[in-house]
Amino acid sequence: MRDFIDRLTGGMTTEEKIGQLNLITPGDFTNTGAVINKNAEETIRRGNAGGIFGIYGPDNILPYQKAAVKESRLKIPLLCGLDVIHGHKTIFPLPLALSCTWNMEMIEETARIAAVEAVADGLSWVFSPMVDIARDPRWGRIAESAGEDPYLGGEIAKAMIHGYQGGDLARPETVLACVKHLAAYGAAEAGRDYNTVDMGRLRLFETYLPPYQAAIEAGCGSAMTAFNDLDGIPASANHWLLTGVLREKWGFDGLVVSDYTAINEMTAHGLGDLQNCSARALAAGCDMDMVGEGFLTTLQNSLKNGSITMEMIDAACRRILEAKYKLGLFDDPYRYLDADAPSHKILTGSHRKAARKAVAESCVLLKNAENILPLQKSGTLALIGPLADDRRNLPGTWSIAADWQECVSVHDGIKKLAGDSVDILHAKGANIVDDPHLAERLNVFGETVVIDPRPPQEMIDEALATAKQADIVIAVLGEAKEMSGEAASRADIGLPECQKKLLRALKRCGKPLVLVLMSGRPLTLAEEHETADAILMTWFGGTESGSGIADILFGAEIPSGKLTASFPVHVGQIPVYYAQRRTGRPPTGDPLEKFRSRYLDIPNDSLYPFGYGLSYTEFSYAPPVADQTELNGRDAVLTLRVAVTNTGDCDGYETVQLYITDPVCSITRPVKELKAFQKLLVKKDETRDAVFTLTADDLKYLNADGDAVFEGGEFILHTGSNSRDTQRISITWR
Ligand code: BGC
């Protein structure tokens, strides 16, 4: 590869090298920023683009690849990228939903299927995985993340990279992955998208950076910068981050692309004109400029005035050419452009089957009083709510290539599963939101919120009349697709008021009430927790939403999802997460004790903690048993067992979680940190052991320089079914 690229770059002009650093979009889909590159084909012909993104389909991409390979002087093929985030055309549940499966094989499989479909559709590069830690559910992009925990986030990042890249990009049906957004984008102040991020290095290394590092260690070929600044420097020009940490500390040798016009936006951040910002970005270690054309139009001048060097341009250009080489594009630039592939590789039966499984496994059962679920396949069921028979919202955010008409609604999923044995009555009951201005904002990418012309009370009355005829009421409520995702921050993360009113009315009619929720973020559900008999969080499930939800509702699948982001009681608790640092004044059981770290008006604890989720069966946990409690040295290995017994009425999967606490350390440490987990099938009446092996490495912490430190002494190991309900054992390790 090195020789090939040496020869190639040896014959390139400076302009052609800079051309490779330019990523353009012909703009046929949703653009998330202002600039759309004009005359894409001509730009490519002139050698002024290294890649395109935002279009898909071999027939659509072919003219651009031809322009590069046949009509540009050097005939260098293009990278062709797209935001393939949770599936390409077979849409899987949102990343936040998938993370709730705690099933790494399944997550890897969804990425592999996404790669197969992406390749069939002409793509060689996907802008995924998004691994930003999110502890603020007001931030809409929590939907794209794996939630709040750095360890789990890292495991998921690795699974996705393996799924996309298959270990070797030269293999067929693999795509270049792009870990994003470097870094700490999920910590935008006040949960407002694109907002400032400012935090100490300890927190950055301990909490926010590990999933990116895990992705790099798993061989991720590219990385994307974040929109936010970090400690006063925009991420796209942050030399410490992009060179010091990413390349020098972690050894990343892939390409770094900016986010959409993020270099241009540095001007709005207050860092000067485009020439200055572009020079700073390149010098910091950003190789490719997405859409903004700052590199293309200013780097020559910056080279002349000495603010960048030719070595910087060469290094960036080389990394882009290396990615193309690894993808096999120099051997065959049309490798990804098989016009016949879409017809037999996309939305296949097996992809849909995998999607259906993923929906069921992503669902989190939050409440199930009196074991009201699963439902019997008999009687009359009232299916109420704006999302009960909806398909337009099911793909969820960032599902560019989705066709909502391929999606299975909850109504249709139930109908198909239960057949004629259940009478299904349906009423909309409420709009997703009543405010037409909000609806307009939510409908910018196509109509997903349809406001019914009838007055709200008339809709509620109809729903009540329907509910009265049924044996059980299923309310399918939640957000619209565009209420989460990019630029979709919310200050109030409860159900919209019109839906709350509907639920209250349904409660009053006295029938058993199951609440099926759809959303792209944790919601505040304190009231609903009191109102509904059962609550099933289904997120946005994608193509097979209705089938997977029906499987859970009727017990064809047993719920096994566990939350990966805490659900607050109240927005005032945000940021909300289990791994809080220890304070000097933790709350006590005595509410009258004044000087304690707590609120006067709400509890500290979340409503549903990280790791929480019910099953249709019950599991009882024995206390953890360690094979030794005094360990010495770095080579020692501890084996910890926890026996889990299925004491309920059906087989079920249980994710056994292991947390640690370091009670004495030279710095403050979180109250608990996830260190391992195992998802076990435990059959009815059976007992199974989850067996964890720990080494001293697992007890290390990352300090403010990002170095792993072991401090011997006592450690408490907690095991249990969620981050709150655990049993402990103390060990010492010196
Ligand atoms: C998003 C990225 C995405 C890019 C390209 C941006 O607005 O932040 O996550 O990859 O657009 O579509």
Side-chain angles (χ1 to χ4, degrees), residues 81-143:
L82 191 75
D83 288 279
V84 174
I85 306 297
H86 47 115
H88 177 57
K89 284 188 171 158
T90 302
I91 302 295
F92 292 101
L94 292 174
L96 182 61
L98 284 175
S99 71
C100 294
T101 66
W102 297 61
N103 182 340
M104 299 307 116
E105 288 88 50
M106 168 176 282
I107 291 174
E108 178 171 338
E109 178 67 359
T110 65
R112 192 193 63 78
I113 291 173
V116 168
E117 294 198 353
V119 168
D121 236 1
L123 302 164
S124 50
W125 191 16
V126 295
F127 300 149
S128 171
M130 190 276 221
V131 305
D132 301 321
I133 291 296
R135 294 177 164 191
D136 189 333
R138 291 171 300 181
W139 188 54
R141 298 195 82 169
I142 195 171

Side-chain angles (χ1 to χ4, degrees), residues 31 69 161 163 185 208 262 277 370 382 391 422 538 647 700 718:
N31 296 291
V69 175
I161 304 294
Y185 181 32
Y208 286 85
C277 295
E370 318 284 332
R391 289 187 293 160
V422 176
T538 70
T647 56
K700 288 178 174 168
H718 313 255

Side-chain angles (χ1 to χ4, degrees), residues 13 58 143 149 166 177 200 252 282 296 373 399 432 658 676 682 695 717:
T13 64
D149 188 73
F252 179 62
L282 184 79
L296 189 72
L373 290 177
S399 44
I432 298 180
L658 167 64
V682 191
T695 67
L717 311 177

Side-chain angles (χ1 to χ4, degrees), residues 32-48:
T32 55
V35 184
I36 300 169
N37 306 105
K38 300 273 185 302
N39 302 326
E41 271 187 61
E42 184 51 30
T43 307
I44 294 165
R45 245 175 244 126
R46 286 201 305 267
N48 280 342

Side-chain angles (χ1 to χ4, degrees), residues 23 25 29-33 53-54 82-85 126-128 130 132 141 144 178 180-181 185 193-194 224-227 257-261 265 290-291 398 400 486:
L23 177 62
T25 175
F29 86 109
T30 311
N31 296 291
T32 55
F53 78 103
L82 191 75
D83 288 279
V84 174
I85 306 297
V126 295
F127 300 149
S128 171
M130 190 276 221
D132 301 321
R141 298 195 82 169
E144 290 173 67
C178 184
K180 68 188 187 185
H181 308 82
Y185 181 32
D193 210 356
Y194 317 125
M224 188 185 294
T225 67
F227 283 126
V257 62
S258 80
D259 203 345
Y260 197 111
T261 61
E265 291 164 25
M290 188 191 290
V291 179
W398 278 119
I400 290 169
E486 187 169 348

